[in-house]
């Protein structure tokens, strides 16, 4: 079982050394490590050459993490692809657990459980809830969908090991899904197939990263809604996701109203309008012409609600 590690990198000089060292510490070593340096303007590649000179560095100009990951997979030689974000890190048994569960099985993917690292506030880690009622291998795609729509757990890319052949069959990451493309890709990979899972913490998901993709709350909420739409269409279970779509539309529109940005309001109407409540749609339409006023009123209402609860 030959595993290639693919790490997309954009201005990650402050974090990528931790990611690389965690790869070096794996009890089951990877066959190769590929760094896709996508428009970095810092010393990321210098850090890579110092910590892991043997890593293969690919320079790209996508400005798109999904495209960067796809390029890394395209140039990989392994039959399995282990994804790792440049600001996360694996625990030493991550690849060993994947190897143990996937070897000799017909599973097409592995997902390892994780903990969130909050270095600035609560300290080292906070373990996320594990998937309940889940075996270690032979898990159906429908079980993934059940977990996905219940939002337990999250599905960061750093926990995924995917069969390269299956990844290619489903078309890799969707380039239009600029954010929240991890679970959407995994949904297509495991659809009609089986996968493996370990409830032991396999990696650390770093929070509080400046300029991280996940720090843009409106964009993340917008693309999460798009991902849910796509996954729901694939699994054909709209009746089970109406409330989830409505809730995500509410969150997406809420961020747009608070942003004071007319373009955000326009995009919220375009993507979330079909699921949003009438008053949310009205607010978003007003925000397309008077974004600052709507932002001020929305934030004032937030403060008023907070005082009322207190």
């Amino acid at each position: 079982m030959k595993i290639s590690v693919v790490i997309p990198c954009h201005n990650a000089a402050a974090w990528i050394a931790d990611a690389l060292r965690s790869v070096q510490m794996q009890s089951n070593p990877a066959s190769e490590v590929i760094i896709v340096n996508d428009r970095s303007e810092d010393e990321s590649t210098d850090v890579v050459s110092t910590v892991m000179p043997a890593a293969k560095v690919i320079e790209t100009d996508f400005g798109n993490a999904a495209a960067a990951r796809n390029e890394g997979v395209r140039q990989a030689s392994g039959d399995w692809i282990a994804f790792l974000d440049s600001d996360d890190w694996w625990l030493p048994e991550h690849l060993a657990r994947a190897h143990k569960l996937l070897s000799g099985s017909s599973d097409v993917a592995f997902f390892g459980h994780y903990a969130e690292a909050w270095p600035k506030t609560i300290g080292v880690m906070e373990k996320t809830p594990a998937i309940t009622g889940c075996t270690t291998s032979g898990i159906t795609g429908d079980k993934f969908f059940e977990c996905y729509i219940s939002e337990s757990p999250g599905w960061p890319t750093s926990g995924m090991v995917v069969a390269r052949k299956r990844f290619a069959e489903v078309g890799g990451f969707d380039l239009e899904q600029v954010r929240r493309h991890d679970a959407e890709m995994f949904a297509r990979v495991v659809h009609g197939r089986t996968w493996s899972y370990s409830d032991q913490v396999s990696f650390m998901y770093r929070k509080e990263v400046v300029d991280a993709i996940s720090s843009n709350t409106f964009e993340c909420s917008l693309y999460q809604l798009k991902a849910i739409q796509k996954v729901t269409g694939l699994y054909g279970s709209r009746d089970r996701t109406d409330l989830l779509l409505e809730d995500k539309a509410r969150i997406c529109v809420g961020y747009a109203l608070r942003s004071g940005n007319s373009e955000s309001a326009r995009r919220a109407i375009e993507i979330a309008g079909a699921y949003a409540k009438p008053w949310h749609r009205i607010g978003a339409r007003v925000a397309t012409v008077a974004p600052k006023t709507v932002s001020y009123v929305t934030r004032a209402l937030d403060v008023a609600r907070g005082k009322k609860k207190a």
Side-chain angles (χ1 to χ4, degrees), residues 27 63 81 141 148 168 206 213 245 278 298 308:
S27 61
I81 307 297
Y148 179 67
R206 192 191 299 268
I213 286 177
L245 287 166
T298 304
K308 188 174 181 180

Side-chain angles (χ1 to χ4, degrees), residues 36-156:
V36 187
N37 187 43
D38 193 33
R39 294 186 180 177
S40 289
E41 297 176 341
D42 64 1
E43 295 74 35
S44 293
T45 55
D46 292 337
V47 175
V48 173
S49 62
T50 299
V51 177
M52 189 179 285
K56 180 178 181 179
V57 178
I58 303 169
E59 297 289 344
T60 62
D61 191 32
F62 296 125
N64 183 324
R69 290 186 173 100
N70 282 349
E71 181 62 19
V73 175
R74 190 185 72 81
Q75 297 202 33
S77 61
D79 49 353
W80 292 88
I81 307 297
F83 295 102
L84 176 60
D85 285 1
S86 57
D87 53 357
D88 296 338
W89 69 94
W90 289 334
L91 299 187
E93 297 302 313
H94 175 64
L95 294 184
R97 292 187 183 115
H99 187 280
K100 180 179 179 181
L101 291 173
L102 293 171
S103 294
S105 78
S106 58
D107 294 346
V108 295
F110 164 84
F111 183 73
H113 198 58
Y114 66 101
E116 295 179 335
W118 298 76
K120 297 178 183 176
T121 53
I122 69 169
V124 178
M125 65 174 280
E126 182 176 41
K127 186 176 180 180
T128 56
I131 299 174
T132 57
C134 203
T135 55
T136 55
S137 59
I139 309 166
T140 65
D142 287 340
K143 178 62 179 179
F144 164 80
F145 181 69
E146 177 187 322
C147 295
Y148 179 67
I149 63 175
S150 68
E151 301 189 278
S152 178
W155 300 89

Side-chain angles (χ1 to χ4, degrees), residues 3-7 16-26 29-36 43-58 84 90 95:
I3 301 176
S4 296
V5 179
V6 172
I7 304 176
I16 197 167
D18 291 338
L20 295 175
R21 292 188 183 105
S22 77
V23 176
Q24 292 171 327
M25 293 175 63
Q26 291 301 297
S31 300
E32 65 178 348
V33 180
I34 298 174
I35 313 295
V36 187
E43 295 74 35
S44 293
T45 55
D46 292 337
V47 175
V48 173
S49 62
T50 299
V51 177
M52 189 179 285
K56 180 178 181 179
V57 178
I58 303 169
L84 176 60
W90 289 334
L95 294 184

Side-chain angles (χ1 to χ4, degrees), residues 51-271:
V51 177
M52 189 179 285
K56 180 178 181 179
V57 178
I58 303 169
E59 297 289 344
T60 62
D61 191 32
F62 296 125
N64 183 324
R69 290 186 173 100
N70 282 349
E71 181 62 19
V73 175
R74 190 185 72 81
Q75 297 202 33
S77 61
D79 49 353
W80 292 88
I81 307 297
F83 295 102
L84 176 60
D85 285 1
S86 57
D87 53 357
D88 296 338
W89 69 94
W90 289 334
L91 299 187
E93 297 302 313
H94 175 64
L95 294 184
R97 292 187 183 115
H99 187 280
K100 180 179 179 181
L101 291 173
L102 293 171
S103 294
S105 78
S106 58
D107 294 346
V108 295
F110 164 84
F111 183 73
H113 198 58
Y114 66 101
E116 295 179 335
W118 298 76
K120 297 178 183 176
T121 53
I122 69 169
V124 178
M125 65 174 280
E126 182 176 41
K127 186 176 180 180
T128 56
I131 299 174
T132 57
C134 203
T135 55
T136 55
S137 59
I139 309 166
T140 65
D142 287 340
K143 178 62 179 179
F144 164 80
F145 181 69
E146 177 187 322
C147 295
Y148 179 67
I149 63 175
S150 68
E151 301 189 278
S152 178
W155 300 89
T157 322
S158 296
M160 298 176 181
V161 180
V162 177
R164 184 184 177 193
K165 181 180 179 180
R166 179 61 177 165
F167 182 85
E169 287 174 353
V170 302
F173 289 101
D174 183 349
L175 301 187
E176 294 183 359
Q177 189 68 36
V178 179
R179 291 172 168 81
R180 299 298 191 234
H181 50 257
D182 36 20
E184 191 275 332
M185 177 276 291
F186 201 79
R188 286 183 282 116
V189 166
V190 302
H191 183 244
R193 302 297 185 91
T194 58
W195 54 289
S196 299
Y197 169 70
S198 171
D199 62 1
Q200 302 298 306
V201 174
S202 272
F203 74 99
M204 302 297 294
Y205 179 79
R206 192 191 299 268
K207 307 289 285 188
E208 304 174 315
V209 176
V210 177
D211 294 329
I213 286 177
S214 57
S215 65
N216 189 321
T217 51
F218 169 69
E219 289 287 329
C220 285
S221 68
L222 187 73
Y223 281 101
Q224 184 175 28
L225 183 60
K226 292 180 71 172
I228 294 170
Q229 288 175 302
K230 293 175 184 176
V231 174
T232 298
L234 179 65
Y235 284 82
S237 299
R238 171 66 191 273
D239 59 318
R240 298 171 61 190
T241 55
D242 278 348
L243 290 177
L244 177 62
L245 287 166
E246 183 180 301
D247 182 57
K248 295 304 179 186
R250 176 187 61 80
I251 293 171
C252 179
V253 172
Y255 282 133
L257 297 182
R258 292 172 181 83
S259 71
N261 185 296
S262 60
E263 178 61 16
S264 293
R266 186 196 65 75
R267 294 175 67 202
I269 293 171
E270 179 185 348
I271 303 300

